[in-house]
Amino acid sequence: DAGPGIFGPGVQTLEYRYQGLRQTASHVIKSQETTTAVISFMIKVEINARPWAQVSIEGTQLTPLGQTPLGNVSVPIGGVLVFQHPSFPVKRYRVAAKDAAIQVTFP
């Protein structure tokens, strides 16, 4: 018998909320086990750089997004964008929930 606020075994669908964003995910809940979930909240942004850059998302490996300018790109809040231009040192930018447009200027 599951107490208040505790989910019983089986598939449970939960809605996660963060600063006005919502994400739904289903989890398999097993008796006497803790279930851990990582939820990414995605936002759409415009990305640009001066003079230009190849943009990737940092992770266990870089995931390329393309060359600037980039429009209407889905990126995870809290994710780190890596900006690379052959003539300058690499720049990084952490995506915030409030971002609609991200602009990086080299050097």
Side-chain angles (χ1 to χ4, degrees):
D1 181 29
I6 298 174
F7 297 97
V11 176
Q12 300 289 339
T13 300
L14 303 175
E15 181 179 81
Y16 298 88
R17 297 177 185 183
Y18 177 75
Q19 295 186 0
L21 299 171
R22 294 175 184 214
Q23 185 79 357
T24 302
S26 294
H27 308 284
V28 176
I29 307 298
K30 297 179 182 176
S31 292
Q32 305 301 313
E33 289 185 19
T34 299
T35 300
T36 303
V38 176
I39 305 298
S40 293
F41 288 91
M42 306 295 282
I43 59 171
K44 297 263 189 190
V45 295
E46 308 290 318
I47 302 172
N48 211 344
R50 273 192 217 129
W52 61 268
Q54 291 292 337
V55 183
S56 302
I57 297 177
E58 195 171 66
T60 51
Q61 62 184 19
L62 290 180
T63 303
L65 294 177
Q67 183 175 311
T68 58
L70 296 165
N72 205 27
V73 179
S74 289
V75 295
I77 295 171
V80 176
L81 301 181
V82 178
F83 291 79
Q84 296 173 298
H85 186 284
S87 300
F88 303 104
V90 170
K91 287 202 169 198
R92 286 177 167 73
Y93 182 90
R94 185 171 300 278
V95 178
K98 64 178 175 39
D99 289 332
I102 297 167
Q103 172 74 44
V104 169
T105 303
F106 290 99

